[in-house]
């Protein structure tokens, strides 16, 4: 009896560690923007060498371009590498290239390292999401997808907070946070099992034999990719410009900005834990409601004249953003067959990363319409409300 209980306890522990390890894959997926609190110091440093503020901001959004490129290449790489090999290689590339600016402060080399950093992220991006839908089902899948969304923003929040604390040591020190990827790699290798023999063969067969997305599935995935791209783009603008708003309006220092941004990300914990309940209550309307809430939060940030209202706006933005993005992947897993889910997830992630990548260019594009940060946030808030209407129509028409 004791042996049976001990064995049962060991099995539960293994399953718990497997869940933790799978969720840890998402901890650093959006860590590209975790260094934004250091942007003012980086701009001041590189301006000495003739680099503009836009070129420095590009270092933050550049990895997103590399992620998009890798998402296109993943289907080819999968022919030569297993899922496990891709995730291990991705984590190694991610962490190693992420640490380069810690020891080298040359713009061209940092530019290259940030691109390689994005390639590493792209190798694990779709896998970190689809692996949950492949291994879990029903309410368990819904909860795990919610927790995965929490893990994503919690990881970003922790890194953003650490960046703020490392800033007094100089901006190169903030890149030390990417060393955490090695710990995630260790957890994944030790605690995520893979089937052997026939089971493994059937898994490979399932991936190789997956058909192409049919026209309605393609359109649905593409529209969700557009919505996700818009949400990510506007959320990235928060990370890029809130530090400037705080410093320019003398609401606080760069460290204050880091704390505010990390608090915004931490609301993702609440969003992830409550996602299953929110989905049960609002069903198809959840995505629309979150888009509306995110739009109002953006407008509030733009209209804020004091730190407390800015914090309120960023907290609301963090909750609605996180819930909205998780809702998109939930609808995808509900409408797309499992054997096509990795492909559809990659398509939506391309939209996500394009949104992140073009954020700095979008700011420059709308500068004639919104020359100040305050007008910028009011404008994108209005655009987010329109996106909510579009999301509502899309899900209402989809059977």
């Amino acid at each position: 009896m004791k042996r049976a209980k001990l064995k049962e306890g060991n099995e539960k522990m293994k399953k718990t560690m497997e869940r933790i390890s799978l969720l840890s894959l998402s901890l650093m997926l959006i860590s590209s923007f975790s260094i934004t609190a250091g942007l003012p110091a980086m701009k001041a440093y590189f301006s000495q060498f003739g680099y503009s503020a836009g070129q420095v901001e590009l270092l933050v959004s550049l990895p997103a371009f590399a992620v998009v490129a890798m998402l296109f290449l993943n289907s080819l790489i999968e022919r030569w590498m297993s899922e496990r090999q891709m995730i291990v290689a991705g984590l190694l590339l991610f962490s190693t290239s992420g640490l380069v600016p810690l020891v080298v402060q040359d713009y061209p080399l940092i530019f290259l390292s940030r691109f390689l950093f994005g390639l590493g992220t792209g190798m694990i991006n779709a896998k970190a999401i689809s692996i949950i839908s492949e291994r879990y089902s029903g309410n368990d899948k819904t909860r795990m997808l919610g927790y995965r969304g929490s893990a994503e923003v919690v990881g970003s929040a922790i890194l953003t907070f650490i960046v703020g604390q490392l800033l007094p040591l100089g901006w190169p020190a903030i890149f030390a946070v990417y060393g955490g990827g090695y710990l995630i790699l260790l957890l994944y290798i030790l605690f995520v099992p893979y089937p052997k023999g026939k089971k493994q063969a059937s898994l490979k067969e399932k991936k190789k034999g997956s058909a192409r997305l049919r026209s309605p599935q393609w359109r649905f995935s593409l529209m969700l990719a557009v919505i996700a791209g818009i949400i990510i783009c506007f959320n990235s603008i928060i990370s890029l410009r809130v530090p400037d708003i705080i410093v320019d309006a003398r609401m606080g220092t760069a460290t204050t900005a880091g704390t505010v941004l990390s608090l915004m990300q931490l609301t993702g914990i609440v969003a992830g834990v409550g996602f299953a309940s929110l989905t049960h209550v609002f069903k198809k309307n959840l995505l629309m409601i979150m888009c509306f809430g995110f739009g109002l939060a953006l407008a509030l940030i733009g209209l804020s004249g004091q730190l407390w209202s800015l914090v309120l706006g960023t907290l609301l933005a963090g909750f609605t953003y996180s819930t909205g993005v998780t809702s998109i992947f939930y609808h995808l897993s509900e409408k797309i067959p499992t054997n096509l889910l990795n492909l559809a997830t990659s398509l939506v992630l391309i939209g996500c990363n394009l949104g992140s990548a073009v954020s700095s260019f979008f700011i420059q594009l709308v500068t004639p319409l919104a020359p100040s940060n305050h007008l910028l946030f009011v404008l994108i808030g209005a655009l987010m409300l329109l996106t909510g209407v579009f999301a509502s129509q899309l899900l209402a028409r989809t059977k």
Side-chain angles (χ1 to χ4, degrees):
M1 182 71 79
K2 288 183 179 179
R3 286 184 179 179
K5 285 185 177 180
L6 186 61
K7 186 178 180 182
E8 185 182 347
N10 287 337
E11 286 298 319
K12 285 184 178 179
M13 179 60 72
K14 285 180 182 178
K15 289 180 180 178
T16 300
M17 289 308 299
E18 179 184 347
R19 288 171 183 260
I20 291 172
S21 302
L22 289 173
L23 293 173
S24 72
L25 291 174
S26 296
L27 283 174
M28 302 184 82
L29 287 183
I30 56 173
S31 59
S32 168
F33 281 79
S34 297
I35 60 167
T36 51
L39 275 177
M42 291 172 67
K43 288 175 183 177
Y45 176 82
F46 285 112
S47 65
Q48 304 172 69
F49 306 100
Y51 294 102
S52 67
Q55 286 175 301
V56 177
E57 287 183 351
L58 182 60
L59 293 175
V60 177
S61 57
L62 176 65
F65 289 103
V67 171
V68 172
M70 183 54 71
L71 287 170
F72 278 115
L73 294 172
N74 274 348
S75 58
L76 295 175
I77 297 174
E78 283 174 350
R79 296 178 184 177
W80 307 99
M81 298 175 71
S82 67
E83 179 179 82
R84 192 177 187 86
Q85 289 170 335
M86 282 186 68
I87 292 176
V88 169
L91 285 169
L92 283 172
L93 183 58
F94 167 92
S95 296
T96 305
S97 57
L99 291 171
V100 168
L102 180 63
V103 293
V104 180
Q105 289 80 54
D106 182 59
Y107 185 89
L109 287 176
I110 293 178
F111 188 93
L112 176 61
S113 72
R114 295 294 285 173
F115 188 81
L116 294 174
F117 173 88
L119 291 179
T121 305
M123 291 182 77
I124 62 174
N125 212 322
K127 300 292 184 187
I129 299 170
S130 62
I131 198 172
I132 289 174
S133 295
E134 289 168 1
R135 289 174 180 247
Y136 302 95
S137 60
N139 289 332
D140 209 15
K141 180 186 73 173
T142 306
R143 282 194 295 269
M144 281 293 286
L145 284 172
Y147 295 153
R148 193 213 68 81
S150 290
E152 200 171 83
V153 293
V154 166
S156 180
I158 293 171
L159 294 182
T160 303
F161 178 76
I162 295 174
V163 164
Q165 304 311 303
L166 290 174
L167 262 177
L169 301 178
W171 68 264
I174 66 180
F175 289 90
V177 296
Y178 293 124
Y182 292 121
L183 177 59
I184 295 171
L185 174 61
L186 183 63
L187 286 173
Y188 175 76
I189 291 173
L190 291 177
F191 299 111
V192 179
Y194 277 81
K196 297 177 181 178
K198 292 181 180 178
K199 289 183 180 179
Q200 181 65 30
S202 66
L203 250 170
K204 289 181 178 178
E205 224 176 297
K206 184 178 171 184
K207 288 184 178 179
K208 287 181 182 177
S210 40
R212 295 171 63 184
L213 288 168
R214 291 186 289 111
S215 183
Q217 295 169 337
W218 178 266
R219 283 197 302 270
F220 181 68
S221 302
L222 184 61
M223 292 302 100
L224 285 182
V226 171
I227 295 169
I230 294 170
I231 294 174
I232 297 289
C233 177
F234 294 168
N235 186 68
S236 299
I237 291 173
I238 294 176
S239 298
L240 286 172
R241 287 304 170 92
V242 161
D244 287 339
I245 291 175
I246 290 175
V247 173
D248 293 344
R250 296 184 179 178
M251 296 179 187
T253 63
T255 302
T256 307
T259 304
V260 171
L261 291 176
S262 62
L263 286 174
M264 180 188 81
Q265 299 292 345
L266 281 173
T267 57
I269 300 176
V270 181
V273 171
F275 178 74
S277 300
L278 289 171
T279 301
H280 178 73
V281 173
F282 296 109
K283 299 180 173 61
K284 286 186 177 182
N285 294 321
L286 180 60
L287 180 56
M288 176 194 68
I289 292 169
M290 291 303 109
C291 286
F292 285 170
F294 190 42
L296 293 174
L298 290 168
L300 179 57
I301 292 172
L303 297 172
S304 295
Q306 296 183 20
L307 184 60
W308 69 266
S309 58
L310 182 71
V311 171
L312 182 62
T314 54
L315 290 178
L316 178 60
F319 179 84
T320 51
Y321 153 77
S322 179
T323 307
V325 172
T326 304
S327 180
I328 287 172
F329 287 110
Y330 169 76
H331 285 301
L332 198 69
S333 69
E334 289 290 295
K335 302 295 182 184
I336 304 295
T338 305
N339 64 318
L340 297 172
L341 192 56
N342 197 55
L343 178 59
T345 301
S346 294
L347 184 61
V348 173
L349 284 171
I350 287 171
C352 290
N353 286 280
L354 280 176
S356 177
V358 304
S359 55
S360 57
F361 298 106
F362 178 85
I363 292 172
Q364 295 175 32
L365 181 66
V366 300
T367 296
L369 294 173
S372 70
N373 284 326
H374 297 291
L375 287 174
L376 171 65
F377 278 97
V378 172
L379 173 63
I380 62 177
L383 293 175
M384 197 64 241
L385 294 176
L386 293 176
T387 304
V389 175
F390 175 69
S392 175
Q393 294 298 313
L394 173 66
L395 294 176
R397 290 196 304 264
T398 304
K399 295 181 181 179

